[in-house]
């Protein structure tokens, strides 16, 4: 059995027939073909699959594609506009907030929501807001610095 | 030996060139590979730790819509997964790609289902019916040694895979006989599960027309994968197999090894003449990635009246799991025993290791690999000793340090290693100073009066990196050489492509190696391309582990750079009608000494090498070189770390207040990248001290098989770290680099464990085995208060 879904991802409209059990992250990766959203754990602990769904940072491995019918979605591929990196992306690059890069898309989009909630976050707020995203490479030190960089940059513009 | 000159970029914190693709979601990891006609594999795994396989019924799976094929060990006729390191009298049990006859750990693959989609394959895997006859299991390596313990293999009595010793037994016994004080510390170094955030994955694609097999795989060493799979498992010519390890999302050792899944996928792709993809679910990573550590150890340390160490005796039961993973025997032997001298002068050491088979997942190298186990026991015991002797733990360490040796004469330990260069006291002093050690001790004293339990932990460490002299490795049982390759191809425009046998899975080689090349040739980094991870492009290479890429891989690149520069100099001299000796190479051009106007640029010389219109008599056209660097010794990074923690005596919760790391990794190409590796290493080391534990039940059920049950460090549990370095160049490679990939993990575990136990000193608690969870601390405090 399949069901029809339609959604807007990074400004483009998609319309497909999918199995009701298909996870949103698999829809994005396998059907739409946007592979920047990663799967690290399938069970909502690691946060590598974080996307922005209707304005909320959501772990796409815990949503069925059919549940996102009609949704507005932004994935990591949609964050930079007209070839211009978003300040969070800049921050991760400037402050060496990534090593292997696998957790990075999810981490960046979790930080995106964090900065909407706390435009001038303390270190403790940054760490608390990112506790749902696991990184095994950086020990989080430079991720915190990257978010602080982005916060300053975003406050200045 | 080649030498590194030029310092424009060597030592600069250049931003990473690989980052733009990662921060925009354009990395290309194995699971991103999609091929026409691609099928998907799902594995049926044993739910039993130990059982006889009575019957595997695949018929129900074949009837599932979308299932293409189902295979068991009856079908998949391939060689056993080989072990690449032998020890004297070792017993090597055959490790099948799919279990046959018996299963020996939970998660061992029994059958594979290939489907048109991953979902269909998983439906099929659920439909396979397997009949087991359960047998008793055993997960503890010491209990596995008991007479009457469950026996994994009929021909390996008492599950003892090997017995290995190092050091002088008689001298050590003598030291203990005449000791003024003996400190005894039994301890457990618990099992860890690596958990790179990218799960292992592979795509195998067989081309029936040519017989070529291409394997994309999450590998730290694609050539090792190709050699072992082609020559030992699949039995095909190496020339018919290409292994590509594209962007790889972390390894920490777990992606060194050849695993069942890629072998089965490769075989199935040949059988079906279609590409086959497999990507691990996280639970499969927990069940079948090689685990780390898992030692049960007794330590005895002898002291004289003055507090000087006179002897060390260590007995370890090392858990190897149910089968030998690719380099398993190496880790608790030569990467463990020879590290037992640490940074201390210890006249006599004797270490015995029993390598034990248990009904658990195979254990192999995990970040640090043997060296964290050695460092933990040494540093935990030093704290025990300081307590027993009534001296400050930092002071006890200081008075036992090996004096500085930086002039090229190595320090010979009593356990085989000869350290390359070392100057240990400045690192210890600086770490104490940065952490405000004396002040922290006063605050601790104050706090205790008010029921506030602050703990201060100190640890030094040494590690052996940059493996290794191939001849030495061979004499110790290695099935491989441990050099590295570096090829430099200069293009007619002067742009350069470098092919390295090292592999980057987070280390940033595309940046650091480009810094090295641009410096040496005086060209912009934009003119330098670094290629790695594809056996069809790069010369045979050994890959990345043991903090070896910069010191061994970088040195191989440097050798090739020297060769192309030497040829370029001849061409330049010819074009300038000057003597080679009169030329200076600077800023990307050769000029004649004394007449700076007369010059040929790197680009002009490169072009002439390919035009070949005007080359010196008899010179071949072209400009490229391939080199293999085989280091004369390991390198020995070292350092000292200090942690300050607060333990809540009511809840048992530990809070890490401060963490200071002073490391000496020799010369550093990119300080930003090295700092980053130290940070990540610290987090993993703290994880072992406080939270992480791959818990098996006594009979072999993995109880920590998800990220809900296995506590990986999170952002809100860790502080920002303070990192500094001292610089003692290594004399064993031309770059003076010692290696930085594992230092943090090695040092942080004993540092934090010591801090927690120090906090609990007022309760008379002298030791708790890791991880130091609130539960264990609360119980210990409660027991102490009774």
């Amino acid at each position: 059995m399949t069901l029809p879904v339609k959604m807007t991802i990074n400004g483009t409209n998609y319309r497909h027939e999918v199995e009701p059990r298909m996870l949103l992250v698999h829809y994005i990766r396998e059907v739409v073909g946007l592979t920047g959203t990663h799967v690290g754990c399938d069970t909502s602990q690691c946060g590598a699959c974080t996307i922005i769904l209707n304005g909320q940072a959501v772990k796409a491995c815990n949503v069925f594609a059919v549940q996102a019918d009609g949704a507005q979605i932004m994935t990591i591929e949609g964050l930079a506009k007209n070839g211009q990196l978003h300040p969070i992306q800049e921050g991760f690059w400037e402050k060496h907030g990534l090593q292997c890069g696998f957790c990075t898309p999810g981490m960046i989009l979790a930080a995106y929501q964090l900065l909407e909630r706390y435009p001038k976050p303390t270190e403790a707020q940054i760490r608390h807001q990112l506790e749902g995203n696991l990184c095994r490479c950086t020990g989080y030190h430079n991720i915190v610095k990257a978010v602080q960089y982005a916060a300053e940059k975003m406050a200045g513009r | 030996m080649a030498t590194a000159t030029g310092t424009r970029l060597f030592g600069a914190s250049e931003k990473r060139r690989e980052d733009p693709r990662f921060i925009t979601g354009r990395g290309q990891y194995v699971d991103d590979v999609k091929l026409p006609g691609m099928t998907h594999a799902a594995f049926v795994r044993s739910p039993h730790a130990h059982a006889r396989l009575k019957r595997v019924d695949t018929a129900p799976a074949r009837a599932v819509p979308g299932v293409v094929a189902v295979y068991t060990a009856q079908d998949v006729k391939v060689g056993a997964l080989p072990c690449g390191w032998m020890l004297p009298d070792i017993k090597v049990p055959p490790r099948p790609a799919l279990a046959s006859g018996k299963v020996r750990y939970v998660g061992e693959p029994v059958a594979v289902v290939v489907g048109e989609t991953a979902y269909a394959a998983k439906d099929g895997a659920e439909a396979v019916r397997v009949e087991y006859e359960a047998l008793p299991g055993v997960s503890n390596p010491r209990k596995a040694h008991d007479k009457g313990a469950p026996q994994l293999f009929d021909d390996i009595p008492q599950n003892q895979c090997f017995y290995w010793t190092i050091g002088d037994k008689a001298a050590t016994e003598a030291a203990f006989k005449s000791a003024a004080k003996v400190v005894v510390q039994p301890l457990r170094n618990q099992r860890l599960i690596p958990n790179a955030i990218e799960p292992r994955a592979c795509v195998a694609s067989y081309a029936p027309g040519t017989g070529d097999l291409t394997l994309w795989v999450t590998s730290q060493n694609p050539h090792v994968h190709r050699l072992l799979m082609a020559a030992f498992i699949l039995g095909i010519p190496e020339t018919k197999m290409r292994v590509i390890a594209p962007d790889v999302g972390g390894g920490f050792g777990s992606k060194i090894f050849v695993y069942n899944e890629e072998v089965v996928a490769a075989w199935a792709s040949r059988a079906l003449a279609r590409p086959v993809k497999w990507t691990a679910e996280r639970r499969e990573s927990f069940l079948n990635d090689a685990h780390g550590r898992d030692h049960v150890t007794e330590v005895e340390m002898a002291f004289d009246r003055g507090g000087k160490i006179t002897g060390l005796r260590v007995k370890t039961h090392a858990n190897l799991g149910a089968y030998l993973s690719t380099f398993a025997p190496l880790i608790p032997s030569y990467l463990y025993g020879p590290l037992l001298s640490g940074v201390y002068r210890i006249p006599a050491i004797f270490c015995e290791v029993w390598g034990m088979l248990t009904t658990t997942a195979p254990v192999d190298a995990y970040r640090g690999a043997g060296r964290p186990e050695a460092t933990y026991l040494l540093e935990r015991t030093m704290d025990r000793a300081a307590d027993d002797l009534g001296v400050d733990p930092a002071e006890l360490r200081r008075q036992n340090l090996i004096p500085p040796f930086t002039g090229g004469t190595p320090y010979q330990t009593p356990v085989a290693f000869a350290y390359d260069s070392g100057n240990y006291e400045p690192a210890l002093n600086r770490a104490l100073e940065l952490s405000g050690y004396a002040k922290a001790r006063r605050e601790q004293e104050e706090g205790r009066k008010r029921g506030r339990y602050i703990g201060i932990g100190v640890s030094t460490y040494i590690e052996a990196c940059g493996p290794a002299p191939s001849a030495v490795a061979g004499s110790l049982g290695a099935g491989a050489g441990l050099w590295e390759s570096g090829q430099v191809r200069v293009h007619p425009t002067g742009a350069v492509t470098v092919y390295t046998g090292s592999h980057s899975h987070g280390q940033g080689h595309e940046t650091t190696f480009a810094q090295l090349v641009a410096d040496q040739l005086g060209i912009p980094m934009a003119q330098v391309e670094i290629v790695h991870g594809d056996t069809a492009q790069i010369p045979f290479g050994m890959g990345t582990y043991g903090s070896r890429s910069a010191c061994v891989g970088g040195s191989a690149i440097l050798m090739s750079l020297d060769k192309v520069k030497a040829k370029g100099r001849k061409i330049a001299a010819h074009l300038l009608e000057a003597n080679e000796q009169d030329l200076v190479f600077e800023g990307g051009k050769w000029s004649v000494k004394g007449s700076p106007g007369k010059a040929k640029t790197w680009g002009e010389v490169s072009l002439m090498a390919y035009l070949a219109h005007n080359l010196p008599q008899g010179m071949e056209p072209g400009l490229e070189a391939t080199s293999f660097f085989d280091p004369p010794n390991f390198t020995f990074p070292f350092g000292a770390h200090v942690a300050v923690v607060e333990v809540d005596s009511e809840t048992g919760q530990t809070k890490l207040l401060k963490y200071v790391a002073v490391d000496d990794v020799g010369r550093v190409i990119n300080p930003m990248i090295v700092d980053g590796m130290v940070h990540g290493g610290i987090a993993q080391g703290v994880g072992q001290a406080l939270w992480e534990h791959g818990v098996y039940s006594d009979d072999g059920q993995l109880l920590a098989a998800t990220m809900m049950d296995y506590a990986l460090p999170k952002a809100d549990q860790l502080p920002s770290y303070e990192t500094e370095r001292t610089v003692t160049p290594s004399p064993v490679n031309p770059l003076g680099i010692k290696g930085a990939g594992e230092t943090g993990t090695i040092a942080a575990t004993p540092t934090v464990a010591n801090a927690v136990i120090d906090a609990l000193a007022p309760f008379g608690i002298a030791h708790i085995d890791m991880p130091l969870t609130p539960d264990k601390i609360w119980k210990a405090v409660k027991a102490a208060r009774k």
Side-chain angles (χ1 to χ4, degrees):
Chain A
M1 183 184 78
T2 59
L3 290 173
V5 290
K6 57 178 193 305
M7 56 191 96
T8 307
I9 305 178
N10 305 329
T12 304
N13 296 322
Y14 296 92
R15 193 182 280 272
H16 291 99
E17 293 277 328
V18 300
E19 280 190 75
R21 64 173 173 171
M22 176 174 267
L23 299 176
L24 179 56
V25 69
H26 290 145
Y27 175 76
I28 293 169
R29 287 181 54 81
E30 309 296 334
V31 180
V32 176
L34 293 169
T35 55
T37 306
H38 296 152
V39 183
C41 74
D42 332 271
T43 48
S44 85
Q45 276 89 45
C46 83
C49 64
T50 304
I51 57 165
I52 303 294
L53 187 148
N54 293 331
Q56 296 283 321
V58 161
K59 291 175 179 176
C61 75
N62 265 245
V63 181
F64 292 116
V66 292
Q67 288 176 291
D69 188 32
Q72 291 283 334
I73 287 173
M74 180 174 70
T75 68
I76 187 68
E77 289 93 341
L79 188 58
K81 297 278 186 285
N82 308 317
Q84 186 73 35
L85 292 178
H86 187 279
I88 303 173
Q89 291 170 311
E90 254 180 62
F92 272 74
W93 193 9
E94 289 290 332
K95 296 296 174 187
H96 189 33
L98 64 148
Q99 290 176 35
C100 81
F102 198 79
C103 77
T104 311
M107 199 64 85
I108 285 176
L109 291 178
Y112 180 86
Q113 172 150 71
L114 181 177
L115 290 170
E116 280 186 346
R117 288 178 181 163
Y118 304 96
K120 289 179 182 172
T122 63
E123 179 173 341
Q125 282 167 336
I126 295 172
R127 288 181 178 278
H128 181 64
Q129 291 288 311
L130 294 181
E131 63 94 38
N133 290 71
L134 296 175
C135 171
R136 197 63 160 158
C137 295
T138 65
Y140 306 104
H141 182 104
N142 284 339
I143 290 177
V144 172
K145 299 258 183 297
V147 176
Q148 287 168 335
Y149 174 99
E152 277 171 36
K153 179 106 192 215
M154 288 161 78
R157 50 168 206 196
Chain B
M1 191 185 274
T3 51
T5 55
T7 54
R8 195 168 52 94
L9 291 163
F10 196 114
S13 287
E14 286 291 313
K15 278 201 306 187
R16 296 204 322 171
R17 308 197 312 164
E18 38 278 89
D19 286 2
R21 69 176 184 269
F22 293 135
I23 57 179
T24 56
R26 265 122 190 149
Q28 280 294 309
Y29 299 88
V30 174
D31 192 48
D32 302 337
V33 173
K34 215 178 206 183
L35 302 176
M38 189 167 77
T39 62
H40 300 260
F43 286 84
V44 178
R45 295 175 187 277
S46 168
H48 295 282
H50 196 193
R52 253 182 267 287
L53 267 176
K54 305 291 281 185
R55 186 160 165 268
V56 184
D57 181 6
T58 58
R62 287 177 213 276
V64 170
V67 166
V68 176
V70 189
Y71 301 115
T72 67
Q74 305 286 316
D75 310 299
V76 184
K77 299 272 185 241
V78 295
L81 275 60
C83 176
W85 200 289
M86 292 296 115
L87 296 173
D89 301 323
I90 190 171
K91 299 189 174 69
V92 181
R95 183 182 185 190
L98 292 175
S100 105
K102 251 174 131 183
V103 288
R104 295 182 177 85
Y105 64 97
V106 173
E108 183 172 1
V110 172
V112 66
V113 177
V114 181
E116 293 291 350
T117 65
Y119 284 48
K122 284 172 195 195
D123 287 345
E126 278 186 14
V128 173
R129 293 282 162 259
V130 187
E131 268 178 51
Y132 299 94
E133 180 194 330
L135 298 167
V138 60
S139 64
N140 179 300
R142 190 172 285 169
K143 287 183 185 158
H145 212 184
D146 290 345
K147 283 213 169 70
Q151 186 85 17
L152 273 79
F153 297 90
D154 293 342
D155 51 354
I156 305 183
Q158 286 177 268
N159 304 307
Q160 183 180 310
C161 174
F162 65 80
Y163 169 71
W164 177 90
T165 67
I166 195 166
D168 187 332
K169 188 177 184 184
T172 309
E173 273 170 12
F176 275 85
K177 273 200 183 111
S178 60
K181 175 89 194 164
V182 173
V183 178
V184 181
Q185 178 64 67
L187 46 84
R188 181 89 198 242
N189 197 302
Q190 84 271 31
R191 182 180 285 242
L192 301 179
I193 303 178
N195 275 300
I197 303 298
E198 179 203 26
R200 284 192 298 113
C202 62
V203 179
S205 179
Y206 178 71
T210 58
D212 290 334
L213 175 68
T214 304
L215 179 74
W216 285 261
V217 64
T218 48
S219 175
Q220 299 178 213
N221 31 235
H223 276 102
V224 175
H225 250 97
R226 187 185 69 173
L227 175 63
L228 294 180
M229 285 185 65
F232 295 95
I233 303 170
L234 300 173
I236 58 173
E238 260 179 297
T239 48
K240 284 293 173 195
M241 185 168 182
R242 175 183 184 184
V243 175
I244 302 172
D247 288 330
V248 172
F252 314 112
S254 67
K255 292 172 182 169
I256 297 171
F257 322 115
V258 175
Y259 289 93
N260 321 63
E261 292 89 354
E262 53 256 31
V263 169
V264 173
W267 180 91
S269 177
R270 281 175 37 142
L272 296 167
R274 289 179 68 178
V276 177
K277 178 192 263 191
W278 169 77
T279 301
E281 292 182 5
R282 180 56 54 180
R283 190 163 171 277
E284 294 183 287
S285 312
F286 275 100
L287 293 172
N288 205 41
D289 285 11
H291 295 177
R293 322 282 192 257
D294 207 348
H295 287 191
V296 181
T297 294
E298 271 162 41
V299 190
E300 296 166 278
M301 199 182 266
F303 288 84
D304 68 12
R305 265 170 235 297
K308 286 266 167 68
I309 310 168
T310 55
L312 177 68
R313 201 153 47 193
V314 175
K315 292 178 180 161
T316 293
H317 280 75
N319 201 338
L320 303 168
Y323 302 95
L324 293 180
S325 173
T326 316
F327 293 108
L330 166 68
I331 315 308
S333 59
Y334 288 107
L335 286 183
Y336 175 61
L339 275 299
L340 287 170
S341 194
V343 294
Y344 308 118
R345 188 183 275 287
I346 305 180
I349 300 175
F350 185 62
C351 170
E352 295 172 275
V353 179
W354 290 265
M356 300 304 305
L357 298 167
T358 64
T359 56
T360 63
V363 177
D364 206 322
Y366 166 59
R367 202 173 192 175
R371 293 152 286 176
E373 294 90 314
T375 306
Y376 175 70
L377 77 84
L378 197 55
E379 291 298 316
R380 194 71 271 287
T381 308
M382 284 299 271
D383 257 35
R384 255 330 264 276
D387 199 27
D388 284 8
L389 296 166
V391 296
D392 180 88
E395 208 41 54
L396 184 68
R397 286 175 169 83
R398 190 198 312 280
Q399 70 193 45
N400 280 288
L401 291 177
I402 296 163
F405 57 104
T406 53
T409 311
Y411 175 81
Q412 182 63 52
T413 71
V415 274
F417 275 156
Y419 296 164
D420 59 341
S421 60
N423 186 10
Y424 305 129
E425 196 170 359
L428 177 60
N429 287 344
R430 186 63 186 139
L432 294 174
E433 187 182 15
L434 265 179
S435 67
Y437 185 73
K439 185 163 165 265
R441 285 275 175 226
R442 287 196 296 278
E443 284 170 4
Q444 177 181 50
E445 207 49 52
E446 273 307 302
R448 282 176 180 172
K449 291 174 193 160
R450 291 177 283 109
R452 191 172 174 222
Y453 298 98
I454 301 228
I456 304 146
V458 180
S459 177
T460 66
Y461 71 92
I462 195 151
E463 65 158 326
C465 289
S470 297
V472 174
S475 72
L476 302 181
L482 283 169
W483 40 266
E484 194 49 274
S485 68
Q487 183 178 61
V488 172
R489 280 194 205 161
V490 183
H491 304 282
T493 57
V496 175
T497 306
V498 173
Y499 302 82
T500 172
S502 300
H503 184 271
S504 183
H505 28 281
Q507 292 87 343
H509 295 166
E510 291 165 42
T511 306
T512 45
F513 285 157
Q515 286 178 249
L516 189 65
V517 175
D519 248 4
Q520 291 299 307
L521 302 182
I523 58 176
M525 281 171 73
Q527 297 270 304
V528 182
E529 194 66 27
I530 307 293
V531 177
H532 65 97
D534 181 354
T535 61
Q537 293 192 69
I538 54 179
F540 199 101
M542 298 309 302
T544 289
Y545 39 81
S547 307
R548 70 195 301 273
S549 299
C551 52
V552 188
S555 296
I557 294 170
L558 187 69
M559 286 167 69
S560 285
L561 290 171
D562 277 7
K563 290 176 190 169
V564 296
K565 274 161 67 179
K567 185 171 180 182
R569 175 179 287 268
K570 284 193 194 329
I571 297 171
H574 177 73
L575 296 175
L576 293 164
E577 295 175 339
N579 280 325
E580 272 187 65
Q581 299 85 320
D582 294 336
L583 296 188
V584 192
F585 185 64
E586 217 175 66
K589 62 183 178 196
W590 282 276
S591 49
V592 182
K593 268 183 220 158
S595 38
K598 276 187 84 178
K600 286 287 170 192
T601 65
W602 171 255
E604 288 171 322
V605 167
S606 302
L607 183 62
M608 186 51 73
Y610 287 94
L611 289 177
H613 296 166
N614 185 12
L615 290 177
Q617 186 78 41
M619 180 184 272
E620 283 179 35
L623 193 53
E624 62 175 64
T626 305
S627 306
F628 298 83
F629 179 67
D630 197 346
N633 191 2
F634 286 85
T635 59
F636 294 89
F638 59 88
H641 289 202
V642 179
V644 182
V645 303
E646 180 170 354
V647 178
D648 185 326
S649 64
E650 299 302 317
T651 64
Q653 186 79 37
T654 296
K655 189 169 184 204
L656 188 50
L657 303 176
K658 187 192 262 288
Y659 197 95
V660 169
V662 178
D663 298 298
D664 196 319
V665 297
R667 294 181 72 205
V668 165
I669 299 173
N670 186 319
M672 174 192 83
I673 285 177
V674 168
D675 283 341
M677 286 199 256
V678 171
H679 297 155
I682 291 169
Q684 284 178 2
V686 175
Q688 172 164 27
L690 297 181
W691 306 300
E692 295 183 35
H693 191 180
V695 185
Y696 275 94
S697 66
D698 286 346
D699 58 358
Q701 271 297 331
L702 182 58
L703 304 178
T706 73
M707 285 177 170
M708 283 295 274
D709 308 294
Y710 186 92
L712 293 164
K714 296 179 175 185
D716 61 349
Q717 295 172 306
L718 293 164
S720 289
Y721 322 106
E722 292 174 56
T723 56
E724 274 197 17
R725 274 185 288 281
T726 60
V727 180
T728 306
S730 173
V732 306
N733 64 68
L735 297 167
I737 292 170
K738 281 178 179 266
E742 297 155 292
T743 58
T745 318
I746 293 169
T749 302
T751 303
V752 171
N754 282 345
V756 173
I757 302 299
D758 181 56
L760 298 172
F763 299 98
I765 294 167
H767 180 77
I768 304 174
D769 274 333
M770 301 184 293
L772 299 165
T773 54
D775 167 60
K776 280 193 204 165
I777 292 172
W778 183 80
K779 281 178 182 152
V781 169
K782 196 170 166 229
R785 274 175 170 159
K786 264 186 188 158

